DNA sequence: AGCACGATTAACT
DNA sequence: GTTAATCGTGCTC
């Protein structure tokens, strides 16, 4: 599926996210995640993603059905699912597939593009390569937290959204990170994707 | 009401 | 390679 955009409307439409999650996770690589912050643009190219797909996927938060925390995953595609983990970190997902089917893509790394001065302060004292090379690092760099949980990335007034950018020449797939307690085959499914 | 654990990070040895 | 930090969530009693 291809999406064409004019110079003024580069934001990815809901149809982009209303597809199989693994397909969306790969298609998001190279696209630009943007957070409008105090009239300023904070952004980066999406460099790593992971797919979490439905109640059969035992690594997915929705595996035991709907709860207050994972409710956004059951909602319509194109919304943010932002959750708190390890008592200190925010992780950012984008909901995929049809409403009612719980699935999302975790954004795991960005290549910073805009708002570098803000990121430098938020991620101090780390050097630029360490500003957004992890799922909790990128939310800190872009200022993504609970306030954006459930946010509609496809609304005209969205503060968080994805803009179309050139697709990467190559995609590398591997097992998802940090789910060592999840049983096979889910633990080893190659649903982690990065620009290669 | 209590408790084990987590889609992580940073600082150590 | 190992480990502390830190707390909301959801399951069990």
């Amino acid at each position: 599926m291809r999406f064409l955009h004019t110079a003024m409307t580069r934001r990815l439409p809901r149809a982009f996210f209303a597809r199989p999650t693994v397909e969306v996770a790969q298609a998001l690589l190279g696209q630009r995640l943007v957070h409008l912050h105090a009239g300023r643009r904070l952004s980066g190219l999406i460099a790593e993603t992971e797919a979490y797909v439905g109640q059969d996927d035992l690594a997915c938060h929705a595996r035991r059905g709907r709860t207050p925390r994972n409710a956004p995953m059951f909602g319509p595609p194109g919304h943010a699912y932002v959750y708190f983990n390890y008592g200190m970190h925010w992780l950012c997902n984008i909901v995929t597939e049809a409403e009612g089917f719980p699935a999302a893509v975790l954004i795991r790394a960005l290549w910073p593009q805009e708002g570098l001065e803000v990121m430098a302060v938020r991620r101090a004292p780390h050097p630029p390569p360490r500003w957004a090379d992890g799922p909790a690092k990128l939310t800190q760099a872009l200022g993504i937290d609970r306030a954006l949980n459930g946010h509609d990335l496809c609304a005209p007034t969205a503060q968080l959204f994805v803009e179309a950018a050139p697709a990467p020449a190559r995609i590398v797939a591997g097992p998802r990170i940090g789910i060592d307690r999840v049983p096979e085959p889910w633990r080893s499914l190659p649903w982690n994707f990065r620009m290669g």
Side-chain angles (χ1 to χ4, degrees):
Chain A
M1 194 185 298
R2 288 190 62 202
F3 294 91
L4 302 178
H5 307 269
T6 70
M8 294 298 291
T9 65
R10 301 178 59 78
R11 298 187 187 190
L12 299 184
R14 203 171 310 283
F16 181 94
F17 303 102
R19 292 186 282 163
T21 308
V22 168
E23 187 178 323
V24 177
Q26 297 178 72
L28 278 172
L29 292 177
Q31 312 306 300
R32 184 182 302 106
L33 182 67
V34 183
H35 184 204
L36 301 183
H37 166 269
R40 176 157 24 187
R41 283 170 58 98
L42 301 177
S43 77
L45 299 184
I46 297 172
E48 183 182 356
T49 61
E50 262 169 21
Y52 289 89
V53 191
Q55 299 194 40
D56 292 339
D57 176 5
L58 294 189
C60 181
H61 285 170
R63 65 189 174 280
R64 295 189 192 278
R66 184 177 183 139
T67 68
R69 179 175 74 149
N70 67 26
M73 294 186 93
F74 287 80
H79 288 245
Y81 167 42
V82 180
Y83 74 94
F84 191 55
N85 205 9
Y86 290 103
M88 62 195 98
H89 301 305
W90 295 99
L91 275 64
C92 178
N93 299 256
I94 303 177
V95 176
T96 56
E97 313 218 23
E99 181 170 2
F101 184 88
V105 172
L106 171 68
I107 310 300
R108 285 194 60 91
L110 300 176
W111 293 348
Q113 280 209 316
E114 302 167 278
L116 305 184
E117 307 84 357
V118 174
M119 295 189 201
V121 172
R122 288 179 172 166
R123 295 287 301 130
H126 306 289
R130 297 283 90 79
W131 285 350
D133 63 334
K137 298 180 189 180
L138 72 91
T139 57
Q140 184 184 358
L142 264 61
I144 297 170
D145 62 18
R146 80 165 78 226
L148 287 170
N149 189 32
H151 191 75
D152 184 0
L153 279 67
C154 305
T157 57
Q159 296 291 112
L160 180 70
F161 50 88
V162 185
E163 285 181 347
R170 186 178 164 188
I171 295 174
V172 178
R176 293 174 290 181
I177 307 301
I179 58 167
D180 293 341
R181 287 178 52 86
V182 173
E184 298 288 3
W186 298 279
R187 187 177 65 196
S188 298
L189 292 176
W191 287 356
N192 171 291
F193 304 100
R194 58 187 176 82
M195 290 205 264

